[in-house]
Amino acid sequence: MNFKAMTALAGALALSAGLANADADEDTLTINGEIEIVTRTAAPDHVDGLSEVISGWHFRADETQALEMDDFDNPGMLGVEAAMEVWETAEGSEGKACADCHESVEETMKGVRAVYPKYNEAAGEVQTLEMVINDCRTERMGAEAWNYTGADITNMVALISSVSRGMPVNVAIDGPAAEMWEQGKELYYTRTGQLELSCANCHEDNYGNMIRADHLSQGQINGFPTYRLKNAKLNSVHARFKGCVRDTRAETYAPGSPEFVALELYVASRGNGLSVEGPSVRN
Amino acid sequence: MAEGVKPRVKVPKKAAAGDTITIKTLISHKMESGQRKGKDGNLVPRSIINRFTAEFNGTPVIDVTMEPAISTNPYVEFEAVVPEEGEFKFTWYDDDGSVYDTAKKIAIG
């Protein structure tokens, strides 16, 4: 009995020591010495469970954080460069490149990442950047749609994100997007899988804590697409959602499905006020 | 020639004579280790950058033998002393015999 109490106490001590080290750190993020990134700010009013929203950058080790502070060191910028070539290359039956309509990505795409997912009047639905890119490819270029989580499209999203870095995420949740936002919120708080975990169980109730060897962040998506050191490539939001839902041991929704679009809208809105950070670097 | 290979280097544009400068280099390369199996169950043949060298005005600065355990897009950062103005030449050697190189000038001042 005594022995049991002792181990329980030791366990509690070890746990609290772990917690103390695992909190979000106090570093500040400036990219290339010029783009200042807001990585902590007051939570938007529509987020009940958080008082402060914190970028996932704060939950990573100093070495990983440093990779994002200079574009040369950021491996995600390789994807951006690759997409820059695609931007200028004509493709499809219309013989058009992105640049033929949208010209310079730095000018025309500035601020775009910050407001997506967004309700599209013509399509009558909430669209993610991936959906818009694929619409452009099939409707205007006469090219084939890209795989929703493939390297081509994720690189393109990274390129479009990169020109908005430093601008605050500002996703609209009212008007025609409200219905889908509610659906996304519902999904966020619904427990799934054999482990019966909702997004909120880890990313709202336990951010900053360790889940075995993993350091839980708030699950903010302002830094997507994210270059992950574990798989050495850029990862899209839906690919990450899929991985997370899978880890609850559930059957996942498909990337690009209405459920994930709703969830992306909701999760993006939880980061309203943080800076666009993609392509970010995480482990 | 492997696909999508592109060397990149970052060298300060100028330095004082005798200064130690930091040089960053990266080459995009898939660095296939030769140990993985493809979808058909067969080994994917090894294809890596096996050697990296840097020279300054013809003098060797660094010569690295690279092995299959090095991950995608190998990044090498090192320091060098710049005695005079001149040119750094960087060379990467691919398993398939391709050689990629790039050069950067540095001024004194």
Side-chain angles (χ1 to χ4, degrees):
Chain A
M1 194 63 194
N2 222 346
F3 176 74
K4 258 191 180 169
M6 287 272 288
T7 43
L9 183 64
L13 280 175
L15 191 64
S16 60
L19 294 187
N21 291 333
D23 273 341
D25 65 13
E26 298 292 331
D27 298 341
T28 54
L29 174 56
T30 306
I31 296 174
N32 297 335
E34 57 183 29
I35 310 172
E36 289 185 12
I37 302 287
V38 176
T39 49
R40 307 181 79 124
T41 189
D45 292 339
H46 57 262
V47 181
D48 299 328
L50 300 172
S51 56
E52 186 184 26
V53 286
I54 308 170
S55 161
W57 184 80
H58 280 291
F59 298 91
R60 302 282 76 106
D62 286 348
E63 296 83 355
T64 313
Q65 289 184 335
L67 286 172
E68 202 181 312
M69 297 168 89
D70 186 311
D71 280 354
F72 192 90
D73 297 347
N74 183 344
M77 293 311 284
L78 296 174
V80 171
E81 270 182 44
M84 197 66 218
E85 275 177 35
V86 176
W87 181 267
E88 282 156 7
T89 309
E91 217 183 317
S93 57
E94 303 296 314
K96 279 195 211 168
C98 308
D100 289 331
C101 295
H102 299 292
E103 296 169 10
S104 152
V105 66
E106 285 89 354
E107 286 164 28
T108 57
M109 291 297 142
K110 195 170 168 63
V112 171
R113 170 77 261 188
V115 297
Y116 271 85
K118 185 180 161 191
Y119 183 79
N120 181 305
E121 214 46 66
E125 60 177 0
V126 173
Q127 291 191 317
T128 61
L129 262 184
E130 279 92 343
M131 291 159 80
V132 177
I133 293 169
N134 266 342
D135 271 2
C136 234
R137 286 180 61 79
T138 52
E139 307 291 320
R140 300 195 210 165
M141 292 166 70
E144 272 185 38
W146 277 325
N147 172 355
Y148 195 93
T149 54
D152 289 323
I153 202 160
T154 309
N155 287 348
M156 189 55 78
V157 175
L159 170 65
I160 294 169
S161 300
S162 70
V163 298
S164 299
R165 284 182 298 176
M167 301 175 74
V169 175
N170 185 18
V171 175
I173 63 167
D174 48 3
E179 191 188 335
M180 204 145 199
W181 184 80
E182 288 293 342
Q183 195 194 341
K185 185 175 179 184
E186 175 91 29
L187 280 168
Y188 192 86
Y189 287 101
T190 304
R191 291 172 181 261
T192 62
Q194 289 179 315
L195 296 182
E196 292 191 52
L197 289 169
S198 74
C199 308
N201 290 143
C202 288
H203 297 293
E204 186 171 288
D205 303 340
N206 280 298
Y207 69 86
N209 291 344
M210 303 297 285
I211 180 167
R212 303 198 66 170
D214 292 324
H215 191 180
L216 287 171
S217 73
Q218 285 188 349
Q220 297 288 356
I221 56 172
N222 62 311
F224 274 82
T226 289
Y227 186 91
R228 298 192 71 191
L229 301 171
K230 71 176 269 185
N231 60 12
K233 68 182 178 88
L234 281 166
N235 295 263
S236 68
V237 176
H238 288 204
R240 192 69 196 85
F241 284 169
K242 191 178 160 189
C244 236
V245 176
R246 180 205 58 212
D247 289 349
T248 71
R249 301 193 193 155
E251 280 284 337
T252 76
Y253 300 107
S257 62
E259 289 86 357
F260 270 175
V261 174
L263 187 60
E264 180 176 348
L265 173 66
Y266 177 69
V267 176
S269 80
R270 289 173 71 92
N272 274 0
L274 291 172
S275 296
V276 174
E277 211 183 298
S280 63
V281 185
R282 307 282 188 262
N283 53 2
Chain B
M1 182 167 156
E3 270 178 39
V5 181
K6 188 174 161 197
R8 302 162 175 80
V9 292
K10 193 172 181 183
V11 180
K13 287 201 173 59
K14 59 182 179 180
D19 254 10
T20 305
I21 58 162
T22 301
I23 296 172
K24 296 174 174 181
T25 74
L26 185 149
I27 186 161
S28 44
H29 195 282
K30 59 185 177 210
M31 297 292 275
E32 188 59 59
S33 71
Q35 314 248 11
R36 294 194 315 143
K37 283 177 179 165
K39 285 209 174 92
D40 57 2
N42 295 324
L43 282 180
V44 182
R46 177 183 131 154
S47 168
I48 67 166
I49 300 280
N50 56 44
R51 183 177 173 218
F52 165 68
T53 64
E55 286 177 2
F56 182 68
N57 290 346
T59 316
V61 177
I62 192 170
D63 192 336
V64 186
T65 305
M66 293 163 76
E67 305 288 352
I70 293 175
S71 61
T72 312
N73 306 331
Y75 171 89
V76 181
E77 180 180 326
F78 57 96
E79 292 184 337
V81 176
V82 191
E84 64 207 13
E85 72 167 31
E87 189 177 62
F88 280 99
K89 185 164 181 264
F90 307 91
T91 317
W92 291 261
Y93 298 84
D94 197 313
D95 269 352
D96 64 13
S98 312
V99 175
Y100 316 100
D101 56 21
T102 184
K104 274 275 156 62
K105 284 199 169 67
I106 185 164
I108 295 297

